[in-house]
């Protein structure tokens, strides 16, 4: 199809972060800037750079985690990729099962509908993401109905099948969300996301609103479904222990930018960015006698409307040198598959955590 001819932008070319596995998604220089309006005439007086030049690739069948403090841009990145919000600039190259390689950022309405059938989102809050006036049949069957899939009997059968898949009894099909616990509601949200057999799911903090006892069950369910259906996940979270459990690779974001990307084990055991070290140092440890490394982060996360000069992390970084305050570091590949955005990455001896402890 002509409209999908990416010409020189062929995502299959190696451009840094593509690995050996087949890529499903390649995000190139993605930006989402929200205008700040002020005064009677609502003039634009600045921009909040929520996502500012983010690039990474997702391999088919993997779980890629995006982590960072609240406000770092990880959720906005996930939503921009699905065009739930319009990106300001950049490319979102996706290997759609029907359309082939497309740039999601420029899809027209027709192709966007096709793309949305193959990509879904699991939301953070299972209480507000489900309409309380709809039964499970209506909630989970809605994407099928909206896309004209099957007749009423076929949709009911599919919803019952999806309920079983996520560990809920098909007899619950006519019940309303209020009859279920938080963990069960999240299972309903997952069933709804799976209704149209998606290729790619953005999981936006899917367990952070759940009790700790339920979190592991939900993560295990997501892993089982991934294995059964070959799903690819973008897993947005701020709990690093959760990310360690489910993700193959992790990207760390700070003030709208990716500052480190590596496979999970390497990132946790041998971080190369001081911000990653600080995040890891703050992870609660199950063993009360464990005496790990703790770097307490001074100050607040920088304001994305007026970020600091140079390295955005320099006002909080315990290792900052003069250069850091006026020169922004590049995201560089220091070891195969391990990218870091820090001037001193080669020199620093940072402390990670042992995932086995
Ligand atoms: Fe810290 Fe400088 Fe590295 Fe930024 S570039 S993380 S301020 S050492």
């Amino acid at each position: 199809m002509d409209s999908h001819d990416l010409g020189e932008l062929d995502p299959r070319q190696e451009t840094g972060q593509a690995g050996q596995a087949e890529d499903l998604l390649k995000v190139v220089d993605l930006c989402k800037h929200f205008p700040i309006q002020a005064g009677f005439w609502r003039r634009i007086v600045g921009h909040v750079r929520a996502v500012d030049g983010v690039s990474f690739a997702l391999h088919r069948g993997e779980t890629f985690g995006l982590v960072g403090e609240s406000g770092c841009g990880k959720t906005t990145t996930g939503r921009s990729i699905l065009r739930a919000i319009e990106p300001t600039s950049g490319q979102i190259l996706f290997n759609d099962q029907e359309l082939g390689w497309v740039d999601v950022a420029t899809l027209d309405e027709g192709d966007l509908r096709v793309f949305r059938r193959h990509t879904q989102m699991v939301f953070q809050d299972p209480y507000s993401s489900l309409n309380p006036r709809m039964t499970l049949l209506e909630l989970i069957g809605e994407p099928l109905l909206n896309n004209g899939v099957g007749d009423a009997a076929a949709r009911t059968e599919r919803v019952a099948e999806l309920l079983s898949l996520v560990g809920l009894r098909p007899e619950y099909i006519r019940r309303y969300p209020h009859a279920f616990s938080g963990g069960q509601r999240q299972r309903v949200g997952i069933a709804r996301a799976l209704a149209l057999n998606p290729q790619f799911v953005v999981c936006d903090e899917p367990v952070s609103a759940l009790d700790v006892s339920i979190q592991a069950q939900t993560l295990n369910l997501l892993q089982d479904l991934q294995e059964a259906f070959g799903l690819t996940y973008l897993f947005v979270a701020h709990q690093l222990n959760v990310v360690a459990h489910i993700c193959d690779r992790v990207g760390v974001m700070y003030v709208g930018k990716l500052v480190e990307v590596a496979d999970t084990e390497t990132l946790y055991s041998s971080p190369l960015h001081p911000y990653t070290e600080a995040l890891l140092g703050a992870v609660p440890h199950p063993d009360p006698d464990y005496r790990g490394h703790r770097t307490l982060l001074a100050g607040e996360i920088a304001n994305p409307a007026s970020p600091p000069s140079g390295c955005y992390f320099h006002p909080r970084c315990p290792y900052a040198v003069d250069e850091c305050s006026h020169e922004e570091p590049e995201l560089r590949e220091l070891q195969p598959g391990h990218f870091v955005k820090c001037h001193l990455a080669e020199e620093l001896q940072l402390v990670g955590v042992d995932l086995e402890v």
Side-chain angles (χ1 to χ4, degrees):
M1 282 164 107
D2 287 351
S3 61
H4 306 136
D5 183 2
L6 295 165
E8 290 180 356
L9 305 175
D10 186 342
R12 286 154 288 195
Q13 292 170 353
E14 290 292 318
T15 57
Q17 293 197 41
Q20 299 185 352
E22 191 194 347
D23 289 340
L24 178 73
L25 173 77
K26 198 162 171 70
V27 177
V28 184
D29 214 11
L30 180 68
C31 294
K32 177 63 189 175
H33 298 169
F34 294 98
I36 305 168
Q37 295 172 311
F40 182 77
W41 300 106
R42 314 292 298 154
R43 287 217 177 86
I44 294 175
V45 294
H47 285 90
V48 174
R49 296 156 182 258
V51 180
D52 202 14
V54 165
S55 300
F56 62 92
L58 248 76
H59 312 321
R60 200 179 282 278
E62 79 166 341
T63 301
F64 184 84
L66 268 186
V67 300
E69 292 165 283
S70 296
C72 71
K74 52 194 191 303
T75 292
T76 308
T77 301
R79 290 178 185 218
S80 300
I81 288 171
L82 296 186
R83 286 265 304 266
I85 50 176
E86 286 296 322
T88 305
S89 62
Q91 293 175 301
I92 304 157
L93 308 172
F94 183 76
N95 192 357
D96 185 273
Q97 63 194 51
E98 258 178 77
L99 303 170
W101 279 104
V102 289
D103 183 357
V104 179
T106 59
L107 284 182
D108 60 28
E109 272 306 310
D111 285 344
L112 199 54
R113 256 197 304 280
V114 176
F115 165 77
R116 285 193 172 136
R117 277 209 299 270
H118 305 142
T119 54
Q120 292 293 328
M121 191 151 185
V122 174
F123 296 93
Q124 174 178 1
D125 185 354
Y127 292 89
S128 61
S129 61
L130 301 176
N131 186 336
R133 293 191 187 84
M134 293 169 81
T135 64
L136 300 200
L137 174 60
E138 290 165 328
L139 282 165
I140 300 170
E142 191 178 39
L144 302 168
L145 183 66
N146 290 347
N147 284 279
V149 177
D151 56 15
R155 285 196 294 274
T156 305
E157 198 179 317
R158 173 73 177 143
V159 172
E161 182 194 358
L162 286 161
L163 285 173
S164 302
L165 266 178
V166 298
L168 293 173
R169 291 191 189 174
E171 300 93 271
Y172 296 162
I173 200 166
R174 308 227 175 244
R175 293 194 187 175
Y176 290 87
H178 67 77
F180 298 94
S181 66
Q184 288 173 320
R185 288 185 204 206
Q186 195 55 296
R187 285 171 188 261
V188 174
I190 293 169
R192 184 179 154 96
L194 293 186
L196 292 168
N197 289 319
Q199 290 177 270
F200 172 55
V201 181
V202 173
C203 303
D204 183 12
E205 305 258 16
V207 297
S208 46
L210 304 180
D211 290 346
V212 175
S213 58
I214 306 296
Q215 289 184 355
Q217 291 174 18
T218 309
L219 292 174
N220 290 341
L221 172 66
L222 286 169
Q223 280 179 315
D224 291 346
L225 294 169
Q226 179 176 44
E227 214 166 286
F229 301 107
L231 298 168
T232 305
Y233 292 142
L234 177 65
F235 195 92
V236 174
H238 66 274
Q239 301 152 290
L240 269 80
N241 45 355
V242 167
V243 170
H245 182 85
I246 195 166
C247 294
D248 302 300
R249 291 188 304 134
V250 180
V252 180
M253 285 189 74
Y254 189 72
V255 195
K257 293 180 185 281
L258 267 178
V259 296
E260 186 163 5
V261 180
D263 68 82
T264 307
E265 202 180 327
T266 305
L267 188 117
Y268 279 64
S269 62
S270 317
L272 293 176
H273 197 285
Y275 180 57
T276 311
E277 181 190 53
L279 287 180
L280 291 172
V283 174
H285 199 277
D287 177 358
D289 295 328
Y290 178 72
R291 292 281 171 266
H293 176 79
R294 291 274 183 275
T295 310
L296 287 182
L297 271 177
E300 295 287 314
I301 188 168
N303 180 355
S306 57
S309 59
C311 171
Y312 286 4
F313 189 56
H314 86 260
R316 304 172 81 189
C317 180
Y319 309 102
V321 294
D322 192 37
E323 180 191 16
C324 304
S325 62
H326 53 81
E327 200 161 315
E328 185 180 350
E330 295 286 322
L331 187 70
R332 299 172 291 139
E333 187 173 19
L334 252 59
Q335 287 141 23
H338 196 162
F339 297 80
V340 63
K341 189 177 172 69
C342 171
H343 292 306
L344 306 184
E346 287 92 338
E347 300 156 40
L348 297 175
Q349 300 290 320
L350 303 181
V351 180
V353 294
D354 186 352
L355 290 178
E356 302 303 321
V357 178

